[in-house]
Amino acid sequence: VTTAKDLAPYGIRVNAISPALIGPGFMWTRENELHAKSGSPYFSDDPEKVAAGKVNSVPMKRLGSIDEVVKSVAYLLSEDSSYTNAFNLVVDGGLSGGLH
């Protein structure tokens, strides 16, 4: 927030994107494989069950797409967000429930 305030007088906006559970793809698959192999009591030892559990925890009941993240970045880069500063845009299908 300090950086956003310091740079604002120069017309520079500082924002962030926080995506979660984006897929499908290599990273999504690999993450689920690693969680399944971790021995953690929080994850099944079956990668498909791990993935299903994660998706089921998202209020929208689906993964986000790379395109949806790109569109969020495009919004923050556009003039449509010209008065947006010091903001973290969470792209997680409601998983975080608006908690920041």
Side-chain angles (χ1 to χ4, degrees), residues 2 9-10 12 18 22 39 41-42 44 50-51 59 68 71-73 82 90 95:
T2 301
Y10 302 100
I12 299 171
S18 294
I22 305 301
Y42 301 105
S44 167
V50 171
E68 288 169 316
K71 287 177 182 177
S72 298
V73 171
S82 63
V90 179
L95 182 64

Side-chain angles (χ1 to χ4, degrees), residues 4-22:
K5 289 180 178 181
D6 290 346
L7 296 175
Y10 302 100
I12 299 171
R13 297 177 291 123
V14 179
N15 296 296
I17 298 282
S18 294
L21 300 182
I22 305 301

Side-chain angles (χ1 to χ4, degrees), residues 10-83:
Y10 302 100
I12 299 171
R13 297 177 291 123
V14 179
N15 296 296
I17 298 282
S18 294
L21 300 182
I22 305 301
F26 173 79
M27 292 301 294
W28 169 253
T29 301
R30 186 66 178 141
E31 178 182 303
N32 293 321
E33 290 169 352
L34 292 172
H35 282 152
K37 291 179 184 178
S38 72
S40 169
Y42 301 105
F43 297 111
S44 167
D45 60 0
D46 178 353
E48 290 184 21
K49 287 182 180 178
V50 171
K54 290 177 185 179
V55 171
N56 195 44
S57 71
V58 178
M60 295 182 80
K61 303 296 184 209
R62 66 176 181 84
L63 293 175
S65 70
I66 293 170
D67 190 52
E68 288 169 316
V69 176
V70 169
K71 287 177 182 177
S72 298
V73 171
Y75 165 71
L76 287 177
L77 291 171
S78 75
E79 286 301 311
D80 290 339
S81 70
S82 63
Y83 198 59

